C-alpha cells in the first residue's frame, strides 16, 4: 500500500488483508505480550468489533465498537512514551465521537506503566481480560500429579479410538469448517452473538490461513478431522493460540489437541499464551486446570 493511501488521523479505514505489512512491522518492533496485539486478531474480528484504523504520527490507532455500543480505542501501536497520544485519543473520542465515557481497552502493563501518574488519566485492571500463559514444556510433558487428569484423558482416547496428529494444511481447512459447523449446531451459535462472532472469525481464519502466516494442527480420529487448532508467534518467546475446537462428543480431544500442538507446533519458544477467559466460569476453570505459569495483566484507561 502506498503511503498516500494510508489513513491519516482523524480519518479511519476498515482493516483489510492488504494492511498486514504495516501492522506486522510495528508489531515486530513492539514485541507484544497481550493476545489481542496480532494482525490476525484485528483482521478476523474486524466485522464483529467494527475495527477501523488510522495513522497518528508514529502510531497505529485502532477503534472498535461492539453491538452498536460506544466507540472505544485499543492501545496505540508504536514507540513509547505514549501518555500524550493516549490522552489525545480519549479526548477526541469524547469530543468528536460524543462518547461521554471514552475508554481504551485491553491495554498492556507496558502502556499502563507509561501513563502511571499522568494527570487526567485513570487505570483499572480488568481480570476477565487477563491472558493465561503456560510453559511450553508443561503443556507438552503434562508431568507430575497436577496433570494426572490430563494424562488420563489422553490415555482414555488412546484406549477407545485410533487417532493421529498432523500439521494443519490447506487440504484440512474444509474439514475444519465442517467440524465447526457441527460444533455450532450443537452449541446453538445462532442464539449467542459471541459464538456467532467466533464462527465468523473461524471462517476468516480458514479463508486466509496462508496469507496470515498461521500455524495449526489437526487430530484425526479414524481418518476424520475431529479437532483443530490455530495459532501464531506473538513474540520471539511466545506463541498465541487463537482457535481450538473439537468434537464435543469426544471429550478427551481438547486435551489431546492442546498437548500435541504444544509438542509439535512450535520450536524455540518458552511460552504459550492461551488468551483470556472473558469471565466465563467454565472457561476460567478449564484454563486454570492447566496451571498457568503467569498471567498477562490488561487494563482499561479512562479520562479521570
Amino acid at each position: 500500500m502506498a503511503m498516500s493511501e494510508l489513513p491519516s488521523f482523524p480519518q479511519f479505514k476498515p482493516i483489510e488483508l492488504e494492511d498486514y505489512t504495516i501492522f506486522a512491522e510495528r508489531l515486530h518492533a513492539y514485541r507484544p505480550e497481550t493476545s489481542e496485539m496480532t494482525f490476525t486478531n484485528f483482521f478476523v474480528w474486524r466485522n464483529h468489533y467494527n475495527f477501523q484504523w488510522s495513522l497518528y504520527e508514529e502510531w497505529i490507532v485502532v477503534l472498535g465498537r461492539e453491538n452498536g455500543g460506544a466507540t472505544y480505542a485499543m492501545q496505540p501501536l508504536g514507540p513509547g512514551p505514549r501518555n500524550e497520544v493516549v490522552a489525545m485519543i480519549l479526548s477526541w473520542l469524547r469530543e468528536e465521537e460524543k462518547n461521554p465515557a471514552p475508554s481504551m481497552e485491553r491495554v498492556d502493563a507496558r502502556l499502563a506503566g507509561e501513563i502511571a501518574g499522568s494527570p487526567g488519566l485513570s487505570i483499572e485492571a480488568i481480570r476477565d481480560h487477563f491472558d493465561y500463559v503456560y510453559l511450553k514444556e508443561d503443556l507438552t510433558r503434562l508431568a507430575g500429579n497436577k496433570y494426572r487428569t490430563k494424562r488420563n484423558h489422553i490415555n482414555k482416547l488412546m484406549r477407545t479410538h485410533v487417532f493421529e496428529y498432523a500439521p494443519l494444511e490447506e487440504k484440512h481447512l474444509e474439514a475444519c469448517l465442517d467440524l465447526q459447523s457441527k460444533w455450532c449446531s450443537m452449541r446453538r451459535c445462532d442464539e449467542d452473538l459471541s459464538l456467532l462472532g467466533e464462527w465468523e472469525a473461524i471462517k476468516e481464519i480458514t479463508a486466509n490461513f496462508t496469507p496470515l502466516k498461521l500455524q495449526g494442527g489437526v487430530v484425526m480420529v479414524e481418518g476424520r478431522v475431529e479437532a483443530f487448532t490455530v495459532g501464531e508467534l506473538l513474540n520471539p518467546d511466545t506463541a498465541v493460540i487463537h482457535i481450538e475446537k473439537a468434537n464435543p462428543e469426544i471429550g478427551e480431544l481438547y486435551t489431546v489437541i492442546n498437548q500435541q500442538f504444544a509438542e509439535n507446533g512450535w520450536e524455540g519458544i518458552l511460552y504459550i499464551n492461551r488468551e483470556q477467559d472473558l469471565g466465563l466460569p467454565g472457561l476460567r476453570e478449564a484454563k486454570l486446570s492447566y496451571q498457568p505459569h503467569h498471567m498477562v495483566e490488561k487494563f482499561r484507561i479512562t479520562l479521570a
Side-chain angles (χ1 to χ4, degrees):
M1 182 185 296
M3 287 300 293
S4 60
E5 298 174 342
L6 299 178
S8 180
F9 187 88
Q11 302 302 315
F12 284 80
K13 70 179 287 290
I15 293 175
E16 301 174 280
L17 194 60
E18 65 185 21
D19 301 324
Y20 178 93
T21 299
I22 190 169
F23 273 77
E25 290 172 350
R26 284 164 172 76
L27 288 164
H28 178 75
Y30 190 74
R31 298 192 173 193
E33 295 185 14
T34 56
S35 58
E36 290 83 5
M37 290 292 107
T38 69
F39 179 76
T40 297
N41 178 76
F42 288 124
F43 179 73
V44 304
W45 288 96
R46 69 191 187 283
N47 294 322
H48 184 77
Y49 292 109
N50 294 285
F51 283 139
Q52 301 206 21
W53 74 280
S54 179
L55 275 178
Y56 176 77
E57 297 182 0
E58 299 179 89
W59 299 281
I60 289 178
V61 178
V62 177
L63 301 182
R65 188 180 72 256
E66 186 177 9
N67 300 331
T71 300
Y72 59 87
M74 301 294 284
Q75 67 179 49
L77 183 57
R82 291 168 285 176
N83 51 319
E84 291 185 5
V85 68
V86 166
M88 184 280 296
I89 292 169
L90 292 176
S91 295
W92 180 83
L93 284 172
R94 181 177 61 188
E95 295 164 12
E96 301 299 327
E97 292 294 305
K98 309 305 180 185
N99 181 351
S103 66
M104 188 167 286
E105 302 290 341
R106 314 292 179 104
V107 168
D108 64 17
R110 197 184 320 177
L111 178 54
E114 289 175 22
I115 70 163
S118 296
L121 296 176
S122 296
I123 309 170
E124 176 189 5
I126 307 297
R127 170 62 179 85
D128 292 353
H129 294 167
F130 287 12
D131 284 338
Y132 292 75
V133 181
Y134 308 84
L135 285 171
K136 175 184 182 291
E137 183 179 6
D138 285 349
L139 296 187
T140 298
R141 296 179 60 231
L142 297 178
N145 187 60
K146 63 183 180 180
Y147 290 114
R148 178 185 300 171
T149 301
K150 307 301 183 187
R151 297 196 303 274
N152 289 342
H153 288 166
I154 295 173
N155 291 332
K156 180 180 179 181
L157 189 67
M158 293 177 67
R159 291 194 305 269
T160 57
H161 294 83
V162 176
F163 72 91
E164 63 175 322
Y165 173 87
L168 177 57
E169 299 177 1
E170 291 276 348
K171 65 183 180 181
H172 299 123
L173 294 175
E174 185 175 351
C176 292
L177 283 175
D178 290 342
L179 175 59
Q180 173 62 17
S181 181
K182 178 180 179 180
W183 189 95
C184 259
S185 178
M186 297 178 69
R187 301 295 191 193
R188 297 184 175 180
C189 288
D190 56 348
E191 299 176 9
D192 187 316
L193 287 176
S194 294
L195 293 181
L196 205 56
E198 182 187 58
W199 185 198
E200 292 301 319
I202 290 174
K203 290 179 183 177
E204 293 284 1
I205 282 176
T206 55
N208 299 281
F209 182 77
T210 299
L212 289 174
K213 301 179 182 179
L214 300 170
Q215 296 185 50
V218 296
V219 171
M220 292 180 286
V221 178
E222 298 171 3
R224 297 187 305 275
V225 172
E226 296 288 10
F228 70 95
T229 185
V230 176
E232 65 182 308
L233 285 178
L234 181 61
N235 60 57
D237 294 326
T238 309
V240 58
I241 308 302
H242 292 305
I243 295 293
E244 185 180 85
K245 289 295 174 183
N247 183 345
E249 296 176 333
I250 309 176
E252 298 77 24
L253 278 170
Y254 278 104
T255 306
V256 172
I257 190 68
N258 186 333
Q259 185 277 328
Q260 286 290 296
F261 197 34
E263 180 175 4
N264 297 290
W266 312 102
E267 292 184 5
I269 66 167
L270 291 174
Y271 305 111
I272 295 180
N273 181 317
R274 293 184 54 81
E275 302 189 338
Q276 60 276 308
D277 61 35
L278 301 174
L280 301 173
L283 192 55
R284 179 167 296 186
E285 181 181 359
K287 290 181 183 290
L288 287 172
S289 73
Y290 275 97
Q291 312 297 321
H293 177 267
H294 63 275
M295 308 290 287
V296 176
E297 295 181 327
K298 297 179 206 169
F299 303 84
R300 174 178 295 136
I301 301 176
T302 55
L303 294 173

